[in-house]
Amino acid sequence: MDLGEADPKGLIRESYRIDGIGDAECRSIFMDWALSLHPGLDPKEAMRTVLVAYQGQSEHPMTRVLGEGLTRESRPPARRGGARGRRS
């Protein structure tokens, strides 16, 4: 996968250019990035591609956020039944 596919809107690239960006901002950008990926594209593969492209930025908060994304298990949403499932 090339970087253009992995970061189609350049959101990750721009996050690495922002001086003083924090974890919260990186998480928000990460969510926008994840939603901008083309359907059918493997998000973990895209994360690996982006991490390789910015491997010299190991102390950057976006690197930590991407790393967390790779290490967390993705679970399908669990259905909640009964009264708990009907609460708003």
Side-chain angles (χ1 to χ4, degrees):
M1 173 180 309
D2 69 5
L3 190 56
E5 288 177 300
D7 190 14
K9 292 185 177 179
L11 297 171
I12 303 295
R13 179 189 68 234
E14 291 303 317
S15 74
Y16 279 101
R17 293 180 177 175
I18 299 172
D19 288 331
I21 193 169
D23 287 343
E25 294 90 357
C26 286
R27 283 189 176 89
S28 177
I29 292 169
F30 176 81
M31 184 63 80
D32 289 341
W33 167 82
L35 293 172
S36 74
L37 291 175
H38 295 292
L41 195 75
D42 179 13
K44 291 203 179 217
E45 184 63 29
M47 283 184 255
R48 286 185 200 97
T49 300
V50 172
L51 281 169
V52 167
Y54 298 103
Q55 62 189 353
Q57 306 274 344
S58 62
E59 297 300 315
H60 196 281
M62 184 55 82
T63 302
R64 287 192 297 273
V65 170
L66 289 164
E68 289 171 9
L70 280 174
T71 59
R72 290 206 174 159
E73 289 288 323
S74 59
R75 290 178 260 149
R79 182 177 178 278
R80 294 178 67 173
R84 283 186 171 172
R86 289 187 291 276
R87 287 188 192 155
S88 300

